């Protein structure tokens, strides 16, 4: 997943990619840029393709399939992690929509995977408006699925890189769909572990959040080595060796990404423990998913 990549969706949220852990967006899917070019954008796109493969998707190459198998060998529960991440996205979106949030800015969208974020929000309120952002050309080819809105609501897609947040805010499409003088839910799900500290993730978040109205929300999920250090350490090595920056963060480091903003209950927890729908998840799922998640008021 690239700064904005990272979700490399699959046909269902059953596959796994670090970035796609979040949606069609892959949990381990790096940010996208170009499919087979040099540089950070090309690496991001490849990350997304690996994640897509993990989730069962078909838009990938032989090298991506090999890399996906490597990831699964080192982290056998990556598919579980992807599902957990996807389910967190659904619960967080539904919760915020029920709180009256009618606008969503989803950065690092990844290949569409139903139900997409706008479908969840518009199930609660058909007037909900959603803008998706990604920099993966593969996502662009599938963007039509993200633009099927209810008649009362609206969706749009912006081709941009999360590492350049001002370009997102300056996009004419953003202003046409979202009213930034009203609350917006900003989702950076399974994205920031593809943005290491030297790429200033705190500054990226601050630039985006500062542009939003009071009453807005920040939704994050992130891979961590706190639960299964050997597996995530090896996963990081695999990604970095392929030129894809990946930085797992501790609970404290993840908490710091919220920059002191007020966290909603239950605070920073394993992604599957954030307002679970039914029974309490088993303790063993913590290490299988290795994901933190939280939602904060802006």
């Amino acid at each position: 997943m690239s700064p904005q990549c990272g979700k490399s969706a699959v046909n269902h949220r059953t596959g796994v990619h670090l970035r796609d852990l979040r949606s069609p967006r892959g949990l381990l899917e790096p940010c996208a840029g170009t499919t087979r070019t040099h540089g950070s954008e090309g690496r991001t796109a490849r990350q997304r393709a690996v994640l897509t493969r993990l989730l069962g998707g078909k838009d990938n190459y032989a090298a991506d399939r090999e890399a996906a198998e490597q990831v699964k060998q080192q982290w056998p529960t990556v598919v579980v992690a992807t599902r957990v991440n996807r389910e967190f996205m659904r619960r967080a979106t539904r919760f915020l929509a029920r709180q009256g949030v009618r606008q969503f800015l989803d950065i690092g969208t990844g290949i569409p995977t139903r139900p997409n974020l706008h479908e969840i929000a518009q199930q609660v309120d058909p007037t909900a408006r959603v803008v998706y952002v990604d920099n993966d050309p593969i996502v662009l080819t599938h963007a039509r699925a993200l633009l099927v809105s209810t008649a009362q609501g609206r969706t749009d897609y912006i081709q941009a890189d999360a590492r350049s947040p001002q370009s997102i805010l300056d996009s004419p499409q953003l202003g046409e769909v979202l009213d930034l003088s009203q609350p917006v839910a900003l989702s950076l799900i399974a994205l920031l572990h593809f943005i290491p500290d030297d790429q200033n993730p705190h500054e990226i978040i601050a630039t985006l959040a500062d542009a939003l109205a009071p009453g807005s929300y920040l939704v994050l999920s992130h891979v961590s080595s706190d639960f299964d250090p050997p597996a995530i350490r090896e996963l990081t090595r695999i990604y970095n060796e392929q030129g894809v920056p990946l930085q797992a963060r501790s609970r404290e480091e993840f908490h710091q990404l919220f920059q002191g903003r007020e966290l909603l209950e239950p605070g920073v927890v394993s992604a599957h423990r954030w307002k679970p729908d039914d029974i309490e998840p088993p303790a063993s799922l913590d290490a299988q998913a290795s994901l933190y998640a939280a939602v904060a008021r802006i």
Side-chain angles (χ1 to χ4, degrees), residues 25-46:
R25 334 158 180 209
L27 171 62
L28 291 178
E29 167 184 41
C31 308
T34 58
T35 48
R36 277 293 177 279
T37 60
H38 297 292
S40 61
E41 286 192 350
R43 291 194 298 269
T44 295
R46 179 166 184 179

Side-chain angles (χ1 to χ4, degrees), residues 272 276-282:
H272 49 283
D277 291 329
D278 32 46
I279 62 174
E280 184 70 14

